[in-house]
Amino acid sequence: MSDTQTRSRAPEPKPWIEAIQAYVPGKSTGADGKPLIKLSANENPLGTSPLALAARAQGPALYPDPDSKALRAKLGELHGIDPALIVMGTGSDELLNLAAQGYAGPGDEVIYVRYGFSVYDIAARRCGATPVVAPDADYGTDVDALLALVTERTRVVFIANPNNPTGSFLPKGEITRLHAGLPADVLLVLDLAYAEYVAAEDDDGAMALAAAHENVLVTRTFSKAYGLAGERIGWATGAPGLVATLNRIRGPFNVPSTGQAMALAALDDTGFIEAARTHNRDERARFVNAIESLGNHGLRAVPSEANFVLVLFEGALTAEAAFDGLAERGYIVRWLPGQGLPQALRFTIGKAHDMDAIVAGLQEMAGGHR
Ligand SMILES: *Cc1c(COP(=O)(O)O)cnc(C)c1O
């Protein structure tokens, strides 16, 4: 080699990879390493369906079904979708990344909202595309602000509905308007990780849009309401061309056997999902009421359709102090200064007695006690 002089001493990552801030997962221990009750990752406080737990035993020596056939068939039946239009992922995270990678690259733009899911930023940068951040409207998604950022370089738009970490929700009319405002060659990814928690009458029309248009991909997951976060099972549906792209680049055995079997069984346990929804609706309402009663101390809950609530601390008690005080009381919630939200904490809706303890702790702290 003639150019050894000018070469690096070690492999150099691509500059767009070096610019990535790695995903920060919700923690389960305090600063001292002591285990805490975890309300920081939007997991299901009711755990996992007993039917899914019973389906766990599998032969680990064999590769899983690469096409998750049984699971896709069941999902298709449940949602009225041709199973050929369903692609499974190692969590929906994998599918979000593949959507960006399949349709965007260096020189292209990927749009998502400020206070959006941090995986979108990673997904955009991973493929070398330029992230473009749309301003929010009081922590909610502002369709007009987002559409104003569309250029001829825009390739992908990510929207979570409900959104994480804000919990905010775009009704059907707004989702329709957003889609109608996008050029046909822009891929709209609608991330429905929390769809199971949305009341049926509030359907945002995302699934119907994905069925009717070439440029809409919906992603779903078993990680939240289904209580299977540890098994890493997500799925996506959209037009044949979109599904073909994702199938071309996904990992060949991307959903382990155990996860496939557990997800299949979980779909049969409609009672478990119903219980999770009811628990969440009731406990979320109770928590939001309690936060409202602390309004004179500057606490404010962003309206949520999900299984968590973002609370703003705009008075003497800061989000950081509340985070520390709750950790002292045995609870870990999500503080998000890295996402531009040093003034807020995100609370996953947990068991009733845990929510009571959290509210009691906030009341004490807001009242000037440690
Ligand atoms: C939790 C979450 C997901 C789910 O990720 P998985 O990889 O399926 O566990 C996707 N999108 C959003 C907005 C989330 O909050």
Side-chain angles (χ1 to χ4, degrees):
M1 287 288 218
S2 57
D3 58 345
T4 39
Q5 235 70 42
T6 60
R7 299 195 64 137
S8 278
R9 289 166 177 278
E12 280 189 39
K14 300 315 262 176
W16 55 86
I17 300 292
E18 267 192 307
I20 291 175
Q21 306 257 11
Y23 184 79
V24 183
K27 295 191 172 58
S28 50
T29 56
D32 54 2
K34 184 179 69 161
L36 299 172
I37 293 174
K38 186 183 179 198
L39 295 174
S40 62
N42 303 340
E43 291 140 334
N44 192 332
L46 306 184
T48 308
S49 147
L51 293 187
L53 292 176
R56 191 151 39 170
Q58 291 288 314
L62 302 184
Y63 278 108
D65 173 3
D67 298 318
S68 308
K69 270 190 235 52
L71 182 51
R72 285 189 304 113
K74 182 73 149 230
L75 282 170
E77 185 187 310
L78 232 91
H79 291 274
I81 303 170
D82 177 355
L85 300 182
I86 294 176
V87 49
M88 304 303 303
T90 312
S92 45
D93 275 7
E94 183 192 20
L95 299 161
L96 298 168
N97 278 291
L98 296 181
Q101 194 190 347
Y103 293 93
D108 297 331
E109 294 173 352
V110 172
I111 306 180
Y112 49 83
V113 295
R114 184 177 177 212
Y115 313 135
F117 188 39
S118 55
V119 163
Y120 307 151
D121 180 80
I122 297 173
R125 293 178 194 274
R126 237 169 88 153
C127 62
T130 304
V132 175
V133 180
D136 63 299
D138 198 22
Y139 300 93
T141 297
D142 182 338
V143 168
D144 294 305
L146 197 152
L147 286 175
L149 292 173
V150 173
T151 71
E152 73 229 14
R153 295 182 167 211
T154 307
R155 290 290 165 269
V156 180
V157 172
F158 283 111
I159 294 284
N161 206 35
N163 183 43
N164 175 17
T166 61
S168 64
F169 182 73
L170 279 183
K172 188 173 185 171
E174 286 294 278
I175 292 285
T176 310
R177 201 162 71 79
L178 169 62
H179 175 255
L182 291 174
D185 66 346
V186 171
L187 174 62
L188 174 60
V189 179
L190 296 171
D191 175 349
L192 267 58
Y194 301 97
E196 287 79 8
Y197 291 111
V198 176
E201 63 271 22
D202 292 339
D203 173 29
D204 64 2
M207 299 295 281
L209 270 187
H213 298 277
E214 304 274 321
N215 68 334
V216 180
L217 185 78
V218 166
T219 62
R220 312 273 310 237
T221 185
F222 282 87
S223 297
K224 305 289 158 60
Y226 283 98
L228 287 167
E231 296 296 326
R232 315 301 307 125
I233 316 145
W235 58 284
T237 185
L242 302 180
V243 171
T245 301
L246 267 52
N247 269 321
R248 214 168 267 142
I249 55 178
R250 72 176 168 87
F253 300 103
N254 60 345
V255 185
S257 318
T258 330
Q260 290 187 35
M262 291 181 84
L264 192 60
L267 289 174
D268 279 332
D269 199 345
T270 48
F272 179 81
I273 289 293
E274 218 28 70
R277 286 158 75 103
T278 305
H279 169 86
N280 187 63
R281 187 196 57 212
D282 296 351
E283 286 306 312
R284 187 180 63 201
R286 232 163 52 82
F287 181 64
V288 168
N289 271 338
I291 295 299
E292 274 166 11
S293 74
L294 289 167
N296 54 331
H297 293 287
L299 274 64
R300 175 159 79 97
V302 176
S304 169
E305 291 277 326
N307 66 340
F308 56 86
V309 175
L310 189 74
V311 176
L312 307 167
F313 291 77
E314 299 168 328
L317 175 63
T318 65
E320 185 175 14
F323 176 84
D324 290 341
L326 289 172
E328 281 167 26
R329 289 165 172 81
Y331 292 94
I332 183 105
V333 298
R334 195 72 176 253
W335 183 43
L336 293 158
Q339 274 184 254
L341 288 166
Q343 73 281 31
L345 295 180
R346 192 194 67 191
F347 295 82
T348 301
I349 299 302
K351 297 195 173 90
H353 66 265
D354 289 326
M355 300 317 287
D356 287 342
I358 282 177
V359 165
L362 290 173
Q363 284 165 344
E364 277 173 26
M365 289 187 274
H369 307 278
R370 268 197 89 219

